[in-house]
Amino acid sequence: MYSKRQQLVGDLSDLIRSGRLAHGERLPGENQLAEQYQVSRGTVRSALSELQQLELISTQAGVGSFVTFDGVQLDQRLGWARALADAGAPVTTQLLGIETVEDRALEEEFGEKTYVAVRRLRREHDRGVSLETATVSADGPLADLPETGLRDGSLTKTLEAAGRISVGGDQWISTERLDAADAELLGRGVGELFLRAERTSVDVEGRLVERVVSLLDPDRFQFHLTFGHR
């Protein structure tokens, strides 16, 4: 019996190979496919990734984005703490808490009701430069994180040990004014404008690996986009 994901891959493959989806024609959007096949957007992304591996679809080549801190590129795949340390930034990390939560937006997208949120504050001397909430699925060993804590103090290592390996995802950048609670933690003024980065990563099966929402000091962090060939 075919899963909905296999059905999605099969249907799109047939449309492409038969020519009903012409070369260069845009595929239906993720939301449209998710609604049509009654699956999560993560499952849609996983199916599209398989179609790309089959060379039936392609993404725009040469496009990528990265974060810089004081002009130094950060590799987010390592986690913020490691990336900042490798960049030589004198930034300390404070774990604010690990708790089990419910997240309606993630539940709608990935179909799971319970998650674990890890909240961390990063300071340079006494001034906060970033405030981060990383949310992961509360299944397997990850369900016990509020009691067991992070492996070697690293969420990246904790996820890898649990077999949750990211193969892709998306990131949204916007701005947000600090509310009273966040401003107090960061040592900033209420209403001060910070960058807001929301990054969602999924594994090869389209399951959530983590969603990280970061508030970043715009005087220290920047986002850089590259495209095409240079």
Side-chain angles (χ1 to χ4, degrees), residues 13-34:
S13 296
D14 289 342
L15 288 172
I16 295 167
R17 289 186 168 119
S18 68
R20 284 175 288 171
L21 268 176
H23 178 70
E25 186 175 346
R26 180 184 291 272
L27 293 173
E30 286 184 5
N31 288 334
Q32 181 181 340
L33 290 170

Side-chain angles (χ1 to χ4, degrees), residues 43-62:
T43 298
V44 173
R45 294 191 194 104
S46 176
L48 295 177
S49 177
E50 182 172 337
L51 290 172
Q52 185 175 353
Q53 292 173 7
L54 293 171
E55 298 184 348
L56 292 174
I57 64 173
S58 63
T59 57
Q60 187 177 355

